[in-house]
Amino acid sequence: MPPPADIVKVAIEWPGANAQLIEMDQKRPLSSIIREVCDGWSLSGSEQFALRYADGPQLYITEQSRSEIKNGTILRLAISPARAARQLLERIQSHGIDARLEALKELAKLSADPTFAAEFINMEGIGTLARLVESGTHFGEMLAFTLTAFLELMDHGIVSWDLISLSFIKQIAGYVNQPMVDVSILQRSLAILESMVLNSHSLYHRVAQEITVGQLIGHLQVSNQEIQTYAIALINALFLKAPEDRRQEMASTLAQKHLRSIILNHVIRGNRPIKAEMAHQLYVLQVLTFNLLEERMMTKMDPNDQAQRDIIFELRRIAFDGENDPTGTEKRKAMYTKDYKMLGFTNHVNPAMDFTQTPPGMLALDNMLYLAKVHQDTYIRIVLENSSREDKHECPFGRCAIELTRMLCEILQVGELPNEGCNDYHPMFFTHDRAWEEFFCVCIQLLNKTWKEMRATAEDFIKVMQVVREQITRALAMKPSSLDQLKNKLRGLNYSEILRLRQSERMSQDDFQSPPIIELRERIQPEILELIKQQRLNRLCEGSCFRKLGNRRRQEKFWFCRLSLNHKVLHYGDLDESPQGEVPFELLSDKIPVSDIKSVVTGKDCPHMKEKSALKQNKEVLELAFSVLYDPDETLNFVAPNKYEYCIWTDGLCALLGREMGSDLTRSDLDTLISMEMKLRLLDLENITIPEAPPPVPKEPSSYNFAYNYS
């Protein structure tokens, strides 16, 4: 007979004594259990003790968290959080240097525990740490542990960052601005300043007054990628929180300090691989830089603004400079109308009206002017080449430039906030000071070339733009390291190649709709679906590593989960670092019987997504989140590392529960495998027709062996 659900068998340790093996009744008060354990070792004052996990982060166990204890867990009897906090606070304020250092070292470790943190903060512990920093008398290890503890305590969100004093900010900024400072102190100082900027509007202004952009850029030229990452993160935070009128000014300062070239030479082209957090910070900087275009993108042209109309006149002048300008007003107006038509504007009489839609607004005109002035030969060639074609085959430069600008804004998500956890930065955008404009110039030439390859007319405009979007997105997915590499990728993705890729993808999807093929597809679908289920379950048995989401995103922690070989138990446990290969069951301390699983939920229905703030609950994280709900009212929360792992796990868990799988990856697998199977079976058919009578039943192959492993 299985033990009651409320009884958990655990081992409890105490230094210098044999461990106690007890059956913990989860219905009993925790204080009663601790009293019983203390009596077993003849310890008095049970109210001064508490239970902690013996492994992993060694967190304190509370009435709220005790439900997470599993059978076989090893616990440790320890002094209570309040008593530990009081003792550490007294030792930190002692006069002995060695005692103070050991206390700060222990505090830095315990501060990650929310229960201890609450007790320490209630005793004005943060104020004590702040005064130690403000005094300027701590250096080296002692200061590093002080800053670590301070940051961990603040990250719990128990107290507001607005309580930080100006003298504390000046002291932390001083560590960043010093030419020579210990690496561990510099890392924590940069992290503290970043948290101040992100969590308090008033502190942003104070930090911005104390920190010079030039000094932060100097930290990018070191060999330590961790320091580089923290420095870019602080630059991004200052950029993100800056008022609208300050962002352009800050961008100009960063340009003058050659931030782009320093990042390119010392980070992207450095002799070290780019780590995940650095890739994220580069992506954030890329997004924030492109977001500077949003104002122009959303600004409509004023047809009555002479300065804006002069830009259009300049476009006409550069393209048709050799022609004499007639003196007559009517003749000049007629000639301008003809020129504007040759330039490809929709409104030939008043082309300013073409720029009144947002997006792309005035940004399209900026791009066109850049092309005309910086790449004048290319601009003139495109315009004159199309003006000499037959009317039905000319590529309207003006209309194409406007639509292309809108498309590029959509592809690069101009105006949208960066997604947490996204690492999709493009190295080529760090190779040129005017990367956006140069990108446009490459793409407008691509558009003109594709138009000619398609022998398009005005009626084909939308089709051409669809092909160009596909060419650009496919090329960007290859991560070209420079604009020249982008050009090479695009040359390989001509219209013929796009047609070939489309045809290949269509054939792999097998869209044939003839009755024999439909019947064959229906016959083999169940066995293929079963094959996919087995593959998903096999992947769950291999297991996957997941990243823990927390306030300190750079201090990444991991955990691993895998299914037992008999498909009856989910094993999981914490890891110090991302594993290289399979993790043995022995290292996974926790488990959930599959029979206890009630359901699997995804996205915004997950408990850990409901708890997160609106800022962090972005689309990308939501799409990768899922939770296992199991008895009694417990959850195991996941955020998959990518879409593939998300589909594998949600499909596999549904297969375990005997429910229908429905992810995109399942449908893709199903279509791919059915297509492969059908092609093999159809090779055995002597004839496939579509008669009025029922189609002939396909013969089964005499020797057929089909295996598939999606990996």
Side-chain angles (χ1 to χ4, degrees), residues 99-119:
R100 187 181 301 178
L101 177 60
E102 288 302 314
L104 288 169
K105 188 181 297 186
E106 187 175 349
L107 176 63
K109 181 179 178 180
L110 279 175
S111 294
D113 188 304
T115 307
F116 170 84
E119 295 290 347

Side-chain angles (χ1 to χ4, degrees), residues 312-330:
I312 298 178
F313 294 155
E314 183 69 4
L315 291 174
R316 191 211 65 81
R317 185 196 65 77
I318 295 173
F320 310 111
D321 190 34
E323 299 185 11
N324 293 324
D325 194 6
T327 56
T329 304
E330 292 301 323

Side-chain angles (χ1 to χ4, degrees), residues 262-306:
I262 290 173
I263 290 177
L264 179 66
N265 295 323
H266 293 273
V267 179
I268 297 176
R269 293 179 179 172
N271 55 5
R272 302 170 305 282
I274 301 295
K275 296 181 180 179
E277 181 56 28
M278 173 60 84
H280 172 70
Q281 295 301 337
L282 292 175
Y283 154 78
V284 172
L285 182 60
Q286 173 186 292
V287 171
L288 295 177
T289 302
F290 283 145
N291 282 355
L292 294 173
L293 304 169
E294 184 181 11
E295 182 181 356
R296 295 292 285 174
M297 180 183 75
M298 301 308 294
T299 300
K300 296 181 179 181
M301 186 171 186
D302 182 0
N304 298 318
D305 188 322
Q306 187 59 43

Side-chain angles (χ1 to χ4, degrees), residues 497-509:
E497 178 64 11
I498 293 296
L499 288 179
R500 189 193 68 77
L501 290 170
R502 287 180 174 180
Q503 180 68 14
S504 175
E505 290 168 0
R506 274 199 299 268
M507 291 299 293
S508 66
Q509 294 171 1

Side-chain angles (χ1 to χ4, degrees), residues 281-446:
Q281 295 301 337
L282 292 175
Y283 154 78
V284 172
L285 182 60
Q286 173 186 292
V287 171
L288 295 177
T289 302
F290 283 145
N291 282 355
L292 294 173
L293 304 169
E294 184 181 11
E295 182 181 356
R296 295 292 285 174
M297 180 183 75
M298 301 308 294
T299 300
K300 296 181 179 181
M301 186 171 186
D302 182 0
N304 298 318
D305 188 322
Q306 187 59 43
Q308 295 180 0
R309 294 176 64 185
D310 285 344
I311 299 176
I312 298 178
F313 294 155
E314 183 69 4
L315 291 174
R316 191 211 65 81
R317 185 196 65 77
I318 295 173
F320 310 111
D321 190 34
E323 299 185 11
N324 293 324
D325 194 6
T327 56
T329 304
E330 292 301 323
K331 289 184 179 181
R332 185 166 60 248
K333 184 181 296 185
M335 188 193 75
Y336 281 7
T337 300
K338 177 185 175 183
D339 288 348
Y340 291 146
K341 182 179 180 181
M342 293 170 65
L343 279 169
F345 289 112
T346 303
N347 192 320
H348 307 152
V349 177
N350 186 6
M353 299 302 297
D354 287 15
F355 301 95
T356 56
Q357 291 188 355
T358 56
M362 290 294 291
L363 185 59
L365 188 59
D366 295 342
N367 286 341
M368 294 166 71
L369 185 63
Y370 181 88
L371 174 68
K373 286 192 170 184
V374 179
H375 300 279
Q376 191 170 119
D377 291 343
T378 300
Y379 168 69
I380 294 173
R381 177 179 56 80
I382 292 175
V383 173
L384 297 184
E385 185 181 76
N386 285 288
S387 63
S388 62
R389 289 184 192 171
E390 298 178 28
D391 287 345
K392 64 177 183 178
H393 286 295
E394 63 184 8
C395 177
F397 168 74
R399 182 185 178 192
C400 287
I402 293 170
E403 188 58 35
L404 177 63
T405 302
R406 180 187 289 110
M407 180 196 298
L408 297 183
C409 289
E410 292 173 357
I411 292 173
L412 297 177
Q413 300 179 329
V414 175
E416 297 186 16
L417 288 175
N419 285 324
E420 183 180 340
C422 182
N423 302 335
D424 190 24
Y425 82 99
H426 296 280
M428 70 176 185
F429 291 129
F430 292 88
T431 62
H432 201 284
D433 288 329
R434 303 293 295 271
W436 166 263
E437 291 85 350
E438 289 293 322
F439 183 47
F440 168 83
C441 293
V442 172
C443 293
I444 194 67
Q445 294 177 73
L446 168 72

Side-chain angles (χ1 to χ4, degrees), residues 510 512 514 516-522 524 528 671-685 688 704:
D510 205 17
F512 305 124
S514 62
I517 292 181
I518 292 175
E519 180 183 347
L520 182 56
R521 186 183 186 88
E522 291 174 351
I524 63 180
I528 298 297
D671 288 341
T672 301
L673 288 172
I674 287 176
S675 298
M676 294 170 63
E677 173 102 349
M678 286 173 64
K679 288 171 185 175
L680 287 172
R681 294 197 182 190
L682 291 174
L683 289 175
D684 257 25
L685 297 179
I688 292 184
Y704 172 67

